[in-house]
Each structure stands twice: as C-alpha cells, then as structure tokens.
Amino acid sequence: QVQLVESGGGLVQAGGSLRLSCAASGIIFSINTEGWFRQAPGKQRELVARITGVGSTNYADSVKGRFTISRDNAKNTVYLQMNSLKPEDTAVYYCNTNNTFYGMDYWGKGTLVTVSS
C-alpha cells in the first residue's frame, strides 16, 4: 500500500532552519507531483510548495525565497528546506503525492514544526 512518512519537524527559534523529508513507498514516485502542505491551529490546510515529476516547482507567496522543495527520485523522497523561519510558519506539515491521470492522491500523517519568537 501507499505510505508517506514525514520526518524532520521540531522546535526551532525564529530565523533558524529545518529540513523536512518525506519518504514514499508503494507508488511510482518519479511520475507523481509531490507537495508540502501545512495546517496551523484554527486554520485551513494550505499549500506550501509543490514539485512535479519533471522538477517544476511552485510556492506559496508567504514562503517564496525562504523555502525550497526538492526531490530525489532514486530515494523516493521529497524534501522541504526551510530557512529564515518565522513564528507564523508554526504548523503541522503534511506531505502529499498526487497523480491526476491515475486518480492518485495520498497524504502523510504530518510532522509538527514549531517556531519560537
């Protein structure tokens, strides 16, 4: 079955950095679009960054210039490098894999990122 396992969350001071990882199994990883979403307390889940199978990326305006999404198809893993973190980045971060052609859309269980001021 499809599994997405996130790691790398934690507590960091404002201005610090974290790198999130999401390891996928049970899918043909290289053809899917991978995304990082986040959900802060009391707010809706929102897209943070997305990367297609050919490496095209897009970012939420709030993280442009600070976050970088990348993927390693050989390791079936997608990463989110987060720099210059702000308290408003505090949220549970979720990994998503999507392939519209095959009707595929799966989520990880999330990893908590807390940024202290």
Side-chain angles (χ1 to χ4, degrees):
Q1 71 273 22
V2 178
Q3 278 194 316
L4 300 176
V5 180
E6 301 102 333
S7 60
L11 174 64
V12 64
Q13 287 189 330
S17 298
L18 283 174
R19 189 175 85 152
L20 305 183
S21 300
C22 174
S25 60
I27 59 171
I28 304 174
F29 180 79
S30 62
I31 65 173
N32 283 12
T33 292
E34 306 299 318
W36 286 99
F37 291 73
R38 67 186 180 187
Q39 188 166 17
K43 294 188 177 181
Q44 289 189 331
R45 191 172 298 188
E46 63 176 0
L47 173 68
V48 175
R50 185 183 280 133
I51 184 167
T52 69
V54 295
S56 297
T57 60
N58 65 287
Y59 296 89
D61 288 343
S62 59
V63 306
K64 281 181 182 177
R66 300 189 298 122
F67 291 11
T68 303
I69 190 170
S70 61
R71 65 191 296 160
D72 185 336
N73 289 338
K75 295 183 178 180
N76 282 11
T77 301
V78 60
Y79 304 97
L80 185 69
Q81 178 66 43
M82 305 186 295
N83 299 328
S84 302
L85 282 160
K86 304 175 181 179
E88 51 263 44
D89 295 318
T90 295
V92 177
Y93 284 71
Y94 296 91
C95 178
N96 172 265
T97 187
N98 180 274
N99 188 308
T100 302
F101 183 81
Y102 292 106
M104 183 185 301
D105 189 72
Y106 294 96
W107 294 87
K109 293 182 178 180
T111 185
L112 177 63
V113 172
T114 303
V115 184
S116 63
S117 56

